[in-house]
Amino acid sequence: MHVLPSSLFGRLVLVLLAGLLGAQLLSVAILFQDRGLGVYGASGLQSAQRFADLVRLLDTIPAGQRQQFIRVFNSPDMRLATSDAPLLGDLAEEPKGGLGAIFRALLRRYLPDARPFRVRVTEAPAEQTVEYPMGHMHGPGMGMGMAHARHMMSMGILPPESVGLAAEIQLRDGSWLSFQHRVPKEVFQWSQRLLLTLGVLSLSVVVLSVVAVRWVSRPLSVLADAADRLGRDIAQQPLREGGPSEVRRAARAFNTMQGRLARFIEDRTRIVSALSHDLRTPITRLSLRAELIEDPELQSSVARDLEEMQHMTKEALDFLRGVEEREPIQSIDVPALLENVKDDVEDTGGEVLLERVQAAPYPGRPLALKRCITNLLENACKYGRRALVSVHDGRDRLEIRIADEGPGLPEDQLEQVFEPFYRLEASRSRDTGGAGLGLPLARNIARAHGGDLVLRNRPGGGLEAILTLAR
């Protein structure tokens, strides 16, 4: 199972997005942690100042009149109470960090003197309550995930449902003043504008990463497409030499390679064509002189040799023309083409069975395809007694299957027969085969149309040629 994408574009996008989004998430975590500490500090400062001011005020008021002032200051978010003994009792815990430590340090700073006091802080991630002697106060419940929730809230990543601050201090007359303040949850909620800013920033990072990777990898895709087209048409238009210096160098090198290949093929075709033309002249003269031989047996032998030489020369020319010929692409009526080739092969003594053909017009080179199919039908009739032709048409390709009833081929030679001048039979007699250029020519024509030609042995005996043409 492949985890990474197969394309270079996909891999670059994955690496960039993973790195950028990872850095973005880390920055967001640091931002939320700093924001949480800042909010905690501001809340503790406000509560500590308010509690210290109340202590100073109640110290100056007689004990009998304090309840009137306490009823005035009490509200749903803040409660005051006086007692002869501490109300928190064993529930009081020394804060070790977070808002509790901040609240305790601020109380020490703002209280008028160093008198004993106790502090309790609760953070509730859900609507849960803890019973205090002064009444209900939002706080954490029990559960295995509570410690993790507290840690997330202390970092500012998970906003608490509410925060409760509880403290008690001994007044000058020996009584205890208890203070309970609930900080509203709205104070700790994240700003919608902040979340929107982070969302827009993350989306911008993703879009810019995709655009940048596409801009970098697109020249490679263009080069790959050009290389693929080069195999079908050596005379295609050269690449545009633009963009960054590396892209221009690659395009220039590709165009240079294309020009050298085109000149090489043109020179080779010209040389072989000239040689073939020069060979035909002496062959024609020898044919005329063979007519003057008086011995009938010798005359017949010389005539067969000359005919074989002429046939080999023609096949060599056809092979080269099949690679290089500049035939324009036309819309081909596939059923009509197959019927035409069938008639030509049957005129030379072959037997062809053509199934009913239903195929859409195919854009291709009609003469080249006719030569390709003719070679396949002639081979099937020659080595397999008769040819059976079927057509399978699809949206992306046209498939022509030509089967025979012969002995087939050894598995290790199904590819070797496509090599130029390769023959299973060692002699070059026309009675046992041609020059070994028919199948290479047919495959070259198929690949020039974006397809291929393969051979396979049929399960019931015989050989099947599968001609695939890309639409």
Side-chain angles (χ1 to χ4, degrees):
M1 181 177 179
H2 297 285
V3 179
L4 292 177
S6 59
S7 65
L8 178 63
F9 172 76
R11 294 188 179 188
L12 288 177
V13 168
L14 179 63
V15 171
L16 279 179
L17 289 184
L20 292 175
L21 291 180
Q24 186 75 5
L25 291 177
L26 182 60
S27 301
V28 169
I30 295 174
L31 173 64
F32 283 164
Q33 184 178 13
D34 291 343
R35 179 182 178 275
L37 293 177
V39 171
Y40 279 172
S43 302
L45 175 63
Q46 183 181 11
S47 300
Q49 287 178 337
R50 180 177 298 181
F51 187 42
D53 292 339
L54 288 173
V55 169
R56 292 190 185 92
L57 176 64
L58 294 178
D59 269 339
T60 61
I61 298 176
Q65 300 178 5
R66 289 173 183 170
Q67 292 300 322
Q68 298 178 2
F69 285 91
I70 289 176
R71 284 195 294 269
V72 172
F73 287 112
N74 276 342
S75 67
D77 292 334
M78 186 179 70
R79 295 181 183 180
L80 297 175
T82 57
S83 60
D84 295 333
L87 295 179
L88 292 180
D90 295 336
L91 291 175
E93 298 177 357
E94 183 72 17
K96 297 181 180 180
L99 180 57
I102 296 174
F103 184 49
R104 187 176 185 86
L106 291 173
L107 276 179
R108 290 187 183 277
R109 179 187 302 176
Y110 292 117
L111 286 175
D113 47 32
R115 62 182 73 186
F117 66 90
R118 299 175 182 180
V119 172
R120 178 71 183 272
V121 177
T122 58
E123 297 173 348
E127 289 293 339
Q128 299 168 350
T129 60
V130 175
E131 187 72 22
Y132 285 93
M134 297 168 58
H136 296 291
M137 180 177 181
H138 288 281
M142 302 300 291
M144 296 182 62
M146 192 55 60
H148 179 66
R150 282 184 173 180
H151 177 67
M152 296 287 283
M153 288 186 297
S154 67
M155 294 179 62
I157 297 176
L158 180 64
E161 184 70 18
S162 63
V163 172
L165 300 175
E168 56 185 5
I169 188 169
Q170 192 173 23
L171 299 177
R172 289 178 180 176
D173 61 358
S175 62
W176 287 82
L177 174 65
S178 299
F179 171 84
Q180 182 179 346
H181 180 218
R182 185 179 66 86
V183 181
K185 64 180 180 180
E186 290 77 13
V187 175
F188 299 94
Q189 288 181 344
W190 300 331
S191 170
Q192 293 184 355
R193 178 175 298 178
L194 175 62
L195 296 178
L196 180 61
T197 302
L198 293 175
V200 171
L201 183 60
S202 300
L203 182 61
S204 302
V205 168
V206 172
V207 172
L208 290 177
S209 299
V210 173
V211 171
V213 171
R214 172 61 68 183
W215 180 65
V216 171
S217 62
R218 180 169 176 77
L220 292 178
S221 301
V222 173
L223 187 61
D225 294 339
D228 183 63
R229 293 193 303 269
L230 183 64
R232 297 192 298 267
D233 183 13
I234 193 66
Q236 67 171 339
Q237 292 293 327
L239 289 177
R240 185 180 67 87
E241 299 179 7
S245 59
E246 294 82 1
V247 175
R248 292 198 304 270
R249 287 179 57 193
R252 190 179 304 114
F254 184 86
N255 292 336
T256 302
M257 178 192 68
Q258 178 181 346
R260 289 173 180 172
L261 288 175
R263 288 192 298 272
F264 171 76
I265 293 176
E266 184 179 355
D267 293 343
R268 187 189 66 172
T269 303
R270 187 183 301 112
I271 292 172
V272 176
S273 299
L275 290 175
S276 300
H277 179 270
D278 292 341
L279 282 173
R280 277 201 296 263
T281 301
I283 290 174
T284 303
R285 288 200 300 264
L286 290 174
S287 299
L288 294 175
R289 292 173 182 175
E291 298 293 333
L292 302 177
I293 299 177
E294 296 180 357
D295 187 351
E297 185 177 352
L298 178 60
Q299 182 186 25
S300 176
S301 176
V302 172
R304 282 197 305 271
D305 290 341
L306 291 173
E307 184 180 358
E308 186 174 349
M309 290 176 61
Q310 192 168 11
H311 179 72
M312 291 178 62
T313 303
K314 179 179 179 300
E315 284 191 352
L317 273 177
D318 289 342
F319 176 73
L320 292 172
R321 286 173 180 169
V323 176
E324 180 63 17
E325 195 167 30
R326 300 287 191 272
E327 183 184 359
I329 294 179
Q330 303 176 25
S331 180
I332 302 174
D333 187 346
V334 178
L337 175 65
L338 293 177
E339 285 288 349
N340 190 4
V341 176
K342 173 179 176 292
D343 294 340
D344 292 343
V345 174
E346 287 179 342
D347 289 343
T348 60
E351 182 182 354
V352 180
L353 298 180
L354 179 61
E355 294 182 0
R356 184 179 178 183
V357 179
Q358 290 183 344
Y362 176 77
R365 299 176 175 88
L367 294 181
L369 286 178
K370 182 178 180 181
R371 187 182 302 120
C372 171
I373 299 173
T374 300
N375 287 345
L376 297 176
L377 291 180
E378 289 178 347
N379 283 345
C381 293
K382 191 169 191 177
Y383 301 106
R385 291 189 293 276
R386 61 177 179 174
L388 310 174
V389 183
S390 61
V391 178
H392 304 275
D393 194 12
R395 256 170 66 181
D396 57 345
R397 65 179 183 176
L398 174 67
E399 189 176 273
I400 302 175
R401 296 172 177 255
I402 301 173
D404 61 39
E405 299 176 353
L409 290 175
E411 292 292 333
D412 60 344
Q413 295 185 352
L414 290 176
E415 279 295 319
Q416 289 183 344
V417 294
F418 288 106
E419 297 177 5
F421 301 104
Y422 178 84
R423 288 187 52 192
L424 296 175
E425 198 271 328
S427 70
R428 293 290 170 179
S429 173
R430 292 193 63 194
D431 296 332
T432 57
L437 293 173
L439 287 176
L441 172 61
R443 170 171 275 187
N444 286 342
I445 293 174
R447 290 180 173 176
H449 285 79
D452 203 358
L453 173 64
V454 296
L455 300 178
R456 71 176 185 183
N457 290 312
R458 301 171 64 193
L463 191 68
E464 184 178 42
I466 304 175
L467 174 63
T468 305
L469 303 173
R471 283 197 174 278

